[in-house]
Amino acid sequence: MFAAGQRDMQRMDQYTMERIGLPGVVLMENAGARVVEEILGDLPCPNPRVIVLAGGGNNGGDGFVIARRLIDAGVRTLLCLLVDPDRLKGDAKIHFDVYMNRGLPVFYLQEHSLKGLKNELNTADVVVDAILGTGVNGPVREPFSNVISMVNEHTGKKLILSVDIPSGVSSDTGKVVGEAIKADKTITFVFPKKGFFLQEGPKYIGDWKAVDISVPPSAAVDLGLDMPKVITGPLVREVLPKRPRHGHKGTFGHALIVGGSRPYVGAPIFSARAALHSGAGLVTLAVPEGIYPMAAAQNPELLFMPLSDEHGHFAARAVHEIIPQLRQFDCVAVGPGMGRFAGGEEWLKSLIGSLSGQPLIIDADGLYFVRDLMDLVRQYKGPVIFTPHPGEMARLVNRTVKEVEENRIEIAREYAKEGHVFLLLKGHRSIIVSPDGQVYINPLGHDALGKGGSGDVLTGLIASFLAQGAEPLHAMIAASYLHARAGQEKAKVLSHYGVMPLDIIEGIKEQLK
């Protein structure tokens, strides 16, 4: 499944109409019919009253079909037209004329006041947003801004359903300028829109579902559209490393986690435990010797490599202690809890230069030290994975966090291609990019994951799948999705507030089952 932008969908619609020969008026009928099916399957009460808010574009045209078909299904429905009917044109006008020729009820905003519309909204059980659709790229003008504000007053009280995308949300960027509908559910056509997963988009779309309206998904390939892919459960099942029935601990790989410091004892432990509990055959944790007794006492299932320390961090000589043992590991993750210390850049440079091409994950303060080592990273013989959060990404590219968040896909893709790295840009909806520019979006995210240690679990999960033989891109896809899904499901049991890193690890085990 792809995530589409406004221009992508325009080209696919045009392809369907011109090359396949399916008229736009039929696509609009199909769109309205699919939305009605979803509404009828999700009615909040017996004999509900539905208000359909329609603008003047194609989104409004979908609304005309929805209102007509709901009435035909016996649902009490009122179409509220928010624009002058003389402005309607094209397929939308055709469907409005059909609606009017049927003599069906319509509320004209231009003939009534906003107060009149407010009264209608007060009596509704379901509000259908067919106001603006995918064409928004700036501030919402009046009267739509006022209407959207009135609808949002009913958030949590009525079922609010948006058609294709909540009005006011940019389909390309997820940006909201001013007002936007806060939907409980969004029924979108063919593919989800990129804006569902970027910037403010996730706050507004609610649950979403992509439905078929006879625009073939294969059109994206035929047209050569460069769209991000959306990670799905079936994809994750496909790319998870397969476990031979008669395998043993050597079959499932040996992962090395390098990290920890006096202030950050827990971070590398979370990574190591996540790796072992998600299938790695062996996990060795290399930590400063000052925290070794504490870490080892709590985690007897792990192997340990205590290294020389100085002032609570790895000492310069520690890297030379680890180098002779590196060949035994199938993958290496460096950075969780390592902290920042004098000589850290040279320390990391020596470590990378001594590896023999194993998959390498660099996270946390490892990313702080690696910024000026990119020539070494590009020359590395094996795959390198970076897992920055937005602040770390901003430092890597010498931009502000705001700039990163406003251009997540573009910045991530450019950096991955230039740096020859696999990149997982964390966030409420994570972005995964391969060195050749393939982009995947994780559609899942949850505030329960917004806690120290959560990212360390993700690093360990990626390391586990790499150790078990997964391709780097596949390991990132599976780890990102399962990590988010585990947080989401654990929050249902433990609350949004109470999910801890070890709970996420338990949740990952449940998801794998």
Side-chain angles (χ1 to χ4, degrees):
M1 180 186 294
F2 293 103
Q6 180 186 3
R7 178 58 180 155
D8 299 321
M9 287 311 307
Q10 288 173 344
R11 291 187 63 189
M12 291 180 68
D13 287 345
Q14 187 177 19
Y15 173 96
T16 303
M17 291 183 284
E18 295 180 359
R19 292 180 58 179
I20 296 179
L22 200 60
V25 70
V26 175
L27 297 179
M28 194 170 283
E29 182 74 23
N30 291 349
R34 298 294 85 76
V35 173
V36 168
E37 288 176 5
E38 295 300 321
I39 293 173
L40 294 178
D42 201 23
L43 292 175
C45 61
N47 193 29
R49 184 168 188 264
V50 179
I51 295 291
V52 178
L53 302 172
N58 286 341
N59 201 237
D62 299 334
F64 305 149
V65 177
I66 292 165
R68 167 167 52 82
R69 283 180 165 262
L70 283 172
I71 292 171
D72 289 344
V75 178
R76 294 183 299 149
T77 303
L78 177 64
L79 172 66
C80 295
L81 184 62
L82 306 182
V83 299
D84 184 339
D86 292 336
R87 288 179 47 198
L88 299 174
K89 57 185 179 181
D91 298 332
K93 177 170 172 49
I94 290 172
H95 279 294
F96 182 72
D97 290 343
V98 169
Y99 188 91
M100 296 306 296
N101 291 338
R102 291 276 307 276
L104 302 177
V106 60
F107 173 101
Y108 294 101
L109 182 61
Q110 70 176 50
E111 294 180 2
H112 301 80
S113 64
L114 285 168
K115 183 178 180 181
L117 179 60
K118 186 171 186 177
N119 292 335
E120 296 292 350
L121 289 171
N122 287 339
T123 64
D125 302 294
V126 180
V127 179
V128 177
D129 158 36
I131 304 172
L132 296 174
T134 60
V136 173
N137 285 302
V140 176
R141 64 182 186 277
E142 298 297 354
F144 305 127
S145 180
N146 263 323
V147 172
I148 291 171
S149 180
M150 286 195 298
V151 172
N152 287 341
E153 291 176 7
H154 298 281
T155 299
K157 305 170 188 174
K158 305 178 187 297
L159 175 62
I160 301 174
L161 186 144
S162 286
V163 177
D164 212 13
I165 192 167
S167 293
V169 178
S170 167
S171 60
D172 288 326
T173 68
K175 189 172 185 177
V176 173
V177 181
E179 297 288 346
I181 292 287
K182 295 176 181 176
D184 295 302
K185 188 173 184 178
T186 298
I187 306 302
T188 195
F189 306 132
V190 192
F191 295 130
K193 308 306 178 276
K194 289 189 292 185
F196 286 13
F197 315 111
L198 301 171
Q199 296 197 68
E200 295 97 341
K203 304 175 188 176
Y204 290 87
I205 63 169
D207 296 327
W208 62 269
K209 183 176 182 179
V211 297
D212 171 32
I213 63 170
S214 298
V215 174
S218 60
V221 178
D222 294 343
L223 291 167
L225 300 179
D226 183 17
M227 295 189 292
K229 296 182 179 70
V230 178
I231 301 172
T232 63
L235 174 61
V236 171
R237 284 191 288 273
E238 179 184 332
V239 302
L240 272 174
K242 304 303 183 284
R243 293 179 68 83
R245 294 285 299 273
H246 303 290
H248 51 80
K249 64 185 179 184
T251 307
F252 303 122
H254 192 170
L256 172 66
I257 311 295
V258 183
S261 59
R262 187 184 299 151
Y264 304 114
V265 177
I269 293 174
F270 296 144
S271 296
R273 293 190 67 171
L276 193 61
H277 285 252
S278 56
L282 294 167
V283 179
T284 292
L285 182 52
V287 296
E289 59 187 357
I291 67 171
Y292 161 68
M294 185 188 311
Q298 297 179 47
N299 301 278
E301 70 273 32
L302 301 175
L303 303 175
F304 282 88
M305 188 188 298
L307 302 174
S308 297
D309 65 353
E310 191 173 284
H311 308 302
H313 296 88
F314 289 120
R317 63 183 179 277
V319 72
H320 302 292
E321 297 168 359
I322 198 174
I323 285 173
Q325 306 181 64
L326 288 176
R327 287 188 176 273
Q328 66 181 298
F329 302 108
D330 296 294
C331 76
V332 177
V334 59
M338 188 166 69
R340 301 176 186 179
F341 54 93
E345 185 176 307
E346 282 299 315
W347 197 97
L348 183 60
K349 182 178 179 180
S350 295
L351 178 65
I352 296 174
S354 302
L355 290 168
S356 52
Q358 303 102 313
L360 171 64
I361 308 166
I362 302 179
D363 185 31
D365 280 319
L367 294 168
Y368 177 83
F369 294 128
V370 83
R371 187 175 76 164
D372 296 324
L373 301 176
M374 291 308 296
D375 285 341
L376 180 63
V377 169
R378 292 185 189 96
Q379 295 165 14
Y380 187 70
K381 295 178 182 178
V384 180
I385 295 173
F386 285 8
T387 57
H389 58 57
E392 291 163 342
M393 190 74 237
R395 185 177 185 278
L396 286 172
V397 297
N398 198 28
R399 308 276 283 273
T400 66
V401 173
K402 183 174 184 291
E403 288 173 321
V404 169
E405 290 293 78
E406 288 179 348
N407 302 278
R408 283 173 63 79
I409 292 176
E410 295 80 4
I411 287 177
R413 177 158 28 197
E414 180 180 356
Y415 188 83
K417 292 173 73 172
E418 290 185 358
H420 300 170
V421 297
F422 292 87
L423 184 74
L424 194 161
L425 176 55
K426 299 172 189 174
H428 192 64
R429 300 291 190 271
S430 294
I431 305 293
I432 295 170
V433 190
S434 65
D436 62 0
Q438 294 183 70
V439 179
Y440 285 81
I441 298 176
N442 185 352
L444 303 180
H446 203 280
D447 59 271
L449 298 171
K451 190 169 295 181
S454 174
D456 303 307
V457 171
L458 177 59
T459 296
L461 192 54
I462 297 171
S464 174
F465 294 153
L466 289 171
Q468 294 174 69
E471 296 291 329
L473 185 60
H474 292 172
M476 297 163 72
I477 288 170
S480 176
Y481 187 90
L482 290 168
H483 180 261
R485 186 69 176 264
Q488 175 180 292
E489 294 304 308
K490 280 298 180 182
K492 295 177 181 178
V493 179
L494 303 173
S495 84
H496 290 223
Y497 301 86
V499 177
M500 302 296 287
L502 296 181
D503 298 320
I504 299 171
I505 294 172
E506 287 299 311
I508 289 166
K509 290 159 63 175
E510 294 165 6
Q511 293 302 313
L512 286 168
K513 182 180 179 181

